[in-house]
Amino acid sequence: MNISVREHIVRIQIIEISGRLDASEVARLRAEQERLLSNGTSQFVVDLSNTNFMDSAGMSALVSLLKRARQLNGDVVLVKPVDAAAYRILSLTRFDQVFKMADTIDLAIKHF
C-alpha cells in the first residue's frame, strides 16, 4: 500500500476598496496591485462591497489585475458592491460575466 499526504495552500490576497474607485484614486490601487504581483501573488479577491462609484479608470485597473493574475495562472474574484448603482455598472459592462463574482469574501475565497 502507498499513502501520499500533501498539503495544498492557496495564497489569496484580499483587496478591500471602499468609497470611490475612480481616476483620482486609481494610481494608489495600481501601485498596490503591482506590489502584490511582484511578490508572487496571483490569487486575488477584490472586495467591492463598500464601493459606491466606479469609473472607467477604476474598471481598467480591475481588468489589468485580472489579465496579470491569469498570466501567472491565477485569478480574481470580485465581491459584489452593495450599492445598486455600482453593481449596475458591473452588469452593464458585463464585468459580472468576465469576472467570477461572489456576495461575500468567504464565498469568494471558495472559488479558489
Side-chain angles (χ1 to χ4, degrees), residues 17-26 28-29 48 50-55 58 86:
I17 300 171
S18 59
R20 298 174 63 89
L21 176 55
D22 60 16
S24 66
E25 299 291 333
V26 78
R28 290 178 39 215
L29 176 59
L48 299 173
N50 293 312
T51 303
N52 56 23
F53 177 81
M54 286 180 277
D55 70 4

Side-chain angles (χ1 to χ4, degrees), residues 7-54:
E7 183 177 18
H8 181 76
I9 298 172
V10 177
R11 182 175 172 203
I12 303 168
Q13 293 291 335
I14 299 170
I15 301 171
E16 297 180 53
I17 300 171
S18 59
R20 298 174 63 89
L21 176 55
D22 60 16
S24 66
E25 299 291 333
V26 78
R28 290 178 39 215
L29 176 59
R30 286 186 180 272
E32 188 62 24
Q33 289 174 351
E34 186 57 40
R35 183 187 70 78
L36 293 168
L37 287 161
S38 66
N39 286 336
T41 302
S42 63
Q43 308 284 11
F44 297 90
V45 170
V46 180
D47 181 4
L48 299 173
S49 61
N50 293 312
T51 303
N52 56 23
F53 177 81
M54 286 180 277

Side-chain angles (χ1 to χ4, degrees), residues 62-83:
L62 295 176
V63 170
S64 177
L65 177 63
L66 179 65
K67 288 171 71 174
R68 297 274 311 276
R70 288 189 175 165
Q71 288 172 348
L72 299 170
N73 297 315
D75 207 355
V76 176
V77 179
L78 302 181
V79 176
K80 297 175 186 175
V82 173
D83 185 272

